[in-house]
Amino acid sequence: SAQSSVTALDVSPGIGWGKVVSSGKSLGVTFGTPSSRDELGASASGSTQKLEAIRKVMKDQPDPIDYYIIPSEDAHQSEYVSQADARREYISNFSGSAGLAIVARDSAHLFVDSRYWIQAAKEIDNNWTLHRVGAPGERSWLDWIRHESTPNVLFGVDSRLISCDTAVALHAAVLERNSRLTFPRLNLVDASRPDRPVRPNNPVFVHDIKYTGESSADKIQRIRAWIKEKRPTPSEIVTFPEALTLEGLEFRSKETLGLSISTTTAVDRDDPSTPEPYGIVLSKLDSIAWTLNLRGSDVPYNPVFFSYLVITLDEVILFVDSNKELVSPVNRYLDDLGVSRRDYSSLWTYLRKGDIKGQLIIDSKSPYAIAVLLKRPRYVVLNQCIVTQLKGIKNPIEIQGFRECYLRDGAAFVQWLAWLEETVRKKRQPVTEWGAAQKLTEFRASMDNFMGLAYANISAVGPNAALPHYEPTPTGSSLIDTTEPYLNDSGGQYLDGTCDTTRTIHFGQPSQEQQDAYTRVLQGHIAIDSAVFPEGTTGAQLDVLARKALWKDRLNYGHGTGHGFGSFLSVHEGPHAFSNTVPLKPGAVITNEPGFYKEGSFGVRIESALVVKTVRVKDLQGSEVNWLAFERFTHVPIQTSRLVNYSLLTRDERRWLRNHNRTCREKLTPLLQGDKRALKWLRRATSKFGPIEIIWE
């Protein structure tokens, strides 16, 4: 495809990250400061000097470190991180949201999954060895340490940036090489970086109960009831074989916050000296925001703020930067809740010296540094955080909020599709991937309750669409034309919900291969959307429905079929997904996004958001029983005029497609009365079934 060195029709919506901006009907607060590779110059600068700097710091340690592990996550195990915490991106130049780097004295290694194989290869330089995890013969980073690292050496990692379960698995891998593991007090990337950005410390605001559907007081009461009455069962507790305990891990008092560590995460429930569960430590930023009904803007695309939260049977303590602006309404709100405030960094002193009357509960994904500071038997590690489970089931107010915000987001998407087709096909004006994404954000920003983007726009044409997480830049993005498929995966953050939608379209005549691939993806999308299944069914058990049609043509995709998402929170949320064995329950929301990607050629993905609901069905005896099905939130038409190979569709699939687009027209028409172009596009795109041509008068 044609490359452009300038951005054609680059329409700026006036949205600045980390600023309060006017967006027409609403006042939008955007979140954090996402890194721009054009702004940072990451793609243009090599890693040689950065690697030299960190290797010097590794060598200068009291006990020189041979391998330093650099995860993607921050001290809260966040998927999206602030620029100050983007250490793996800084050291490697790889900008994807997932991956892990290992720097050795004479080599550097980057491990990424299939979503990022192509992107990482383009972004790193020849100082790095790329490990395509999941490809034949490629090892995960833990297996690589276990089998290919030099034996009898010292590994180092920041204990805040790895989870408890990862720390134990890492220890086991290191021991197999007769090596040692240490946790330096300072992060070595930070110590080697002369220009580390300042961590955001933006204001916090109360999220109204008309959107949350439940008060923070009630949420805290539910958490306390779980701590006091249910107590963790043995099946919930993470216990590690003796060979995998934390004994033997190397810590130095000066390098581990001056503290000794617990030697095991196993807890003897039959030991009468084991304290009763007394509280829970929350480190995930979205869990804290959900529990307190507070929102912030410290992390890109996520309305969260840096903090830790401890809930005990006697008190609730929010650990937040003492310099953070907590305006009077927020302070009064927290006082009324009985939430005391302490400085963010004082968590570590509290965990070591605090008046903790019983056992604190942490989950296996908590930063390992928390476990470092608690001594056995003062903590127990559970497989899953109770807040993740509670947050994952949406209440009726949240579900209604999703219905409404997805309608507004869908209306913006249709306004944009009408503009894009008119501009590209009728006016023949150049539009870049970046310019198209900016224009879509402009339409979203005009909608009520808009607060920013849920994630960076994935706006990709032709070969770029074969990169599942491709992000265009202001310069160098490709032109959208009539010769190649175009994929847009994007969504808005609204006060009443978080949106995530993907559509693939074509403005010309697709090839037979493209039509067939698109149709197989569409069939998988329909199969998930139409599924009716018994209670207790897991996402993993349904996943094959999305892939069955693709498998007929020996096609597949490497990413998950769908994930949970938050209510004005993170776009990726657990505990359920189509890739795990967590049972789907009424109120669980999940995306439906099968795809196909041909490297160097094109990519296809169709994504809509769903909620699990109860339906009454008749069994073989004719009795009515409760089963489960999906309700679809997303209302964006699926293109029927070019990319669909109708000969592959069954009668039921054709009926589903016709009904889907008719419903989109009925739901969106009232929201588009002020946009004649969008109404015209919507009527024509959803009224006809089969190959049609939109004629612009």
Side-chain angles (χ1 to χ4, degrees):
S1 62
Q3 296 290 319
S4 173
S5 59
V6 296
T7 304
L9 285 177
D10 187 359
V11 184
S12 173
I15 293 180
W17 292 99
K19 302 176 183 177
V20 180
V21 295
S22 174
S23 58
K25 298 179 182 178
S26 63
L27 192 68
V29 182
T30 54
F31 316 116
T33 307
S35 59
S36 165
R37 295 186 66 77
D38 278 11
E39 294 172 3
L40 298 178
S43 59
S45 63
S47 64
T48 300
Q49 292 183 344
K50 299 172 187 177
L51 290 171
E52 289 175 351
I54 193 172
R55 285 172 178 145
K56 182 179 187 304
V57 176
M58 291 163 59
K59 183 179 180 181
D60 290 345
Q61 295 299 297
D63 193 353
I65 293 174
D66 301 287
Y67 289 91
Y68 191 65
I69 299 167
I70 308 167
S72 298
E73 294 77 13
D74 62 12
H76 303 271
Q77 296 296 290
S78 305
E79 175 186 13
Y80 293 98
V81 298
S82 70
Q83 285 188 35
D85 294 314
R87 300 175 178 91
R88 189 228 59 227
E89 178 178 353
Y90 166 78
I91 200 70
S92 68
N93 292 339
F94 166 59
S95 63
S97 63
L100 181 136
I102 299 178
V103 176
R105 292 189 178 187
D106 56 1
S107 62
H109 304 264
L110 179 67
F111 298 80
V112 298
D113 62 41
S114 61
R115 296 172 297 170
Y116 299 108
W117 290 350
I118 304 170
Q119 178 182 341
K122 291 182 176 180
E123 292 181 345
I124 62 175
D125 60 26
N126 58 12
N127 289 314
W128 291 83
T129 298
L130 178 62
H131 299 262
R132 295 175 172 83
V133 179
E138 288 280 5
R139 303 183 189 274
S140 69
W141 68 274
L142 283 170
D143 280 342
W144 182 86
I145 289 175
R146 186 176 291 111
H147 297 287
E148 298 188 34
S149 65
T150 303
N152 303 305
V153 297
L154 181 62
F155 284 81
V157 66
D158 188 333
S159 63
R160 299 169 302 167
L161 307 188
I162 59 170
S163 61
C164 291
D165 55 358
T166 299
V168 173
L170 174 58
H171 179 221
V174 167
L175 286 180
E176 288 194 32
R177 301 301 285 174
N178 293 316
S179 293
R180 297 172 296 144
L181 178 61
T182 186
F183 297 83
R185 180 179 61 86
L186 298 177
N187 185 283
L188 302 194
V189 176
D190 295 348
S192 68
R193 185 175 184 178
D195 57 348
R196 185 191 178 204
V198 177
R199 210 179 199 197
N201 194 26
N202 298 319
V204 175
F205 59 97
V206 178
H207 194 37
D208 199 290
I209 194 171
K210 69 180 181 181
Y211 302 118
T212 68
E214 183 181 14
S215 70
S216 178
D218 288 344
K219 293 176 180 179
I220 292 170
Q221 184 177 14
R222 283 206 285 163
I223 294 168
R224 280 176 166 160
W226 173 80
I227 295 170
K228 186 175 181 179
E229 298 171 12
K230 290 190 174 182
R231 298 190 52 184
T233 65
S235 64
E236 294 176 305
I237 298 172
V238 178
T239 56
F240 302 113
E242 192 65 26
L244 298 185
T245 65
L246 301 175
E247 296 176 3
L249 288 182
E250 179 174 317
F251 296 91
R252 303 182 197 84
S253 60
K254 291 183 179 180
E255 292 188 318
T256 315
L257 305 175
L259 304 170
S260 60
I261 74 157
S262 167
T263 57
T264 177
T265 53
V267 174
D268 186 353
R269 305 302 301 173
D270 297 324
D271 185 348
S273 66
T274 298
E276 291 289 316
Y278 171 69
I280 186 170
V281 182
L282 299 180
S283 58
K284 294 284 289 184
L285 300 181
D286 61 337
S287 292
I288 297 168
W290 178 88
T291 301
L292 295 178
N293 286 346
L294 294 177
R295 298 295 188 268
S297 57
D298 286 347
V299 175
Y301 310 113
N302 290 257
V304 297
F305 55 99
F306 291 120
S307 57
Y308 296 96
L309 186 67
V310 174
I311 300 174
T312 74
L313 300 179
D314 300 322
E315 60 183 346
V316 181
I317 309 172
L318 176 64
F319 295 86
V320 63
D321 194 313
S322 57
N323 294 318
K324 180 174 285 293
E325 181 182 351
L326 294 179
V327 295
S328 296
V330 175
N331 276 316
R332 288 196 299 269
Y333 169 81
L334 291 173
D335 288 340
D336 291 343
L337 273 177
V339 177
S340 62
R341 274 83 77 199
R342 301 189 189 182
D343 188 67
Y344 178 81
S345 60
S346 69
L347 171 74
W348 314 113
T349 302
Y350 170 84
L351 294 177
R352 182 181 62 147
K353 296 181 177 180
D355 182 20
I356 302 172
K357 300 175 182 177
Q359 194 176 69
L360 289 180
I361 299 167
I362 63 177
D363 70 270
S364 61
K365 298 301 180 184
S366 297
Y368 181 64
I370 292 176
V372 167
L373 298 175
L374 287 168
K375 296 181 180 179
R376 183 176 184 258
R378 295 176 65 211
Y379 72 98
V380 59
V381 181
L382 302 191
N383 280 309
Q384 193 174 94
C385 177
I386 181 62
V387 175
T388 299
Q389 299 176 46
L390 297 176
K391 175 164 54 70
I393 303 300
K394 311 307 179 191
N395 62 49
I397 297 296
E398 290 173 313
I399 292 172
Q400 184 58 31
F402 280 123
R403 293 188 182 113
E404 294 175 4
C405 74
Y406 268 94
L407 278 177
R408 296 194 304 276
D409 201 71
F413 214 108
V414 166
Q415 288 181 298
W416 169 76
L417 283 169
W419 167 84
L420 184 63
E421 181 153 344
E422 180 187 53
T423 305
V424 172
R425 297 194 69 245
K426 179 186 177 182
K427 297 181 178 179
R428 303 290 178 177
Q429 293 182 358
V431 181
T432 66
E433 298 161 321
W434 172 266
Q438 293 293 95
K439 185 67 175 180
L440 177 52
T441 302
E442 178 186 338
F443 283 118
R444 284 191 166 113
S446 70
M447 295 295 164
D448 287 340
N449 295 338
F450 179 79
M451 299 296 285
L453 294 179
Y455 51 101
N457 281 298
I458 299 171
S459 175
V461 68
N464 292 336
L467 308 172
H469 281 230
Y470 169 82
E471 296 176 19
T473 58
T475 60
S477 62
S478 298
L479 287 171
I480 300 169
D481 57 26
T482 60
T483 65
E484 297 178 300
Y486 170 70
L487 182 154
N488 188 284
D489 181 341
S490 59
Q493 285 279 19
Y494 301 88
L495 288 172
D496 45 357
T498 300
C499 295
D500 185 357
T501 301
T502 306
R503 292 295 184 263
T504 306
I505 56 178
H506 203 296
F507 294 126
Q509 181 56 51
S511 68
Q512 189 65 52
E513 179 186 31
Q514 292 167 350
Q515 284 186 320
D516 290 349
Y518 181 89
T519 305
R520 292 307 192 190
V521 169
L522 174 60
Q523 288 177 299
H525 185 86
I526 294 172
I528 289 290
D529 186 274
S530 307
V532 180
F533 47 96
E535 294 177 336
T537 300
T538 69
Q541 290 172 317
L542 297 180
D543 181 80
V544 67
L545 298 178
R547 302 176 189 270
K548 180 181 177 182
L550 283 160
W551 288 354
K552 288 181 179 179
D553 289 344
R554 306 301 183 263
L555 306 178
N556 203 3
Y557 53 95
H559 58 73
T561 297
H563 53 81
F565 50 94
S567 178
F568 187 37
L569 275 173
S570 172
V571 74
H572 294 149
E573 185 177 278
H576 52 272
F578 283 118
S579 58
N580 66 32
T581 57
V582 176
L584 296 173
K585 298 178 181 180
V589 296
I590 192 168
T591 61
N592 169 17
E593 49 181 309
F596 172 72
Y597 312 94
K598 183 178 180 181
E599 182 174 351
S601 183
F602 70 96
V604 171
R605 186 163 63 254
I606 305 172
E607 177 184 20
S608 296
L610 313 171
V611 60
V612 181
K613 65 179 182 179
T614 300
V615 293
R616 297 288 287 174
V617 299
K618 288 186 177 181
D619 61 18
L620 293 177
Q621 288 72 42
S623 301
E624 285 197 347
V625 295
N626 286 337
W627 274 44
L628 300 176
F630 294 115
E631 173 191 335
R632 185 174 60 257
F633 291 139
T634 307
H635 290 93
V636 176
I638 292 173
Q639 189 183 55
T640 61
S641 58
R642 298 177 181 88
L643 278 167
V644 178
N645 180 350
Y646 290 93
S647 68
L648 297 178
L649 296 181
T650 66
R651 180 179 300 176
D652 285 344
E653 289 167 341
R654 293 184 182 206
R655 182 183 300 113
W656 181 96
L657 186 56
R658 184 182 297 111
N659 290 339
H660 174 279
N661 282 358
R662 181 185 298 122
T663 300
C664 290
R665 181 176 71 250
E666 293 170 354
K667 295 279 190 180
L668 295 178
T669 295
L671 279 71
L672 296 170
Q673 289 305 307
D675 189 333
K676 293 182 179 179
R677 177 178 58 196
L679 280 172
K680 183 186 222 180
W681 183 94
L682 180 64
R683 284 194 299 267
R684 290 177 172 171
T686 60
S687 302
K688 301 292 182 71
F689 187 75
I692 61 172
E693 186 77 11
I694 303 290
I695 300 174
W696 297 98
E697 298 172 354

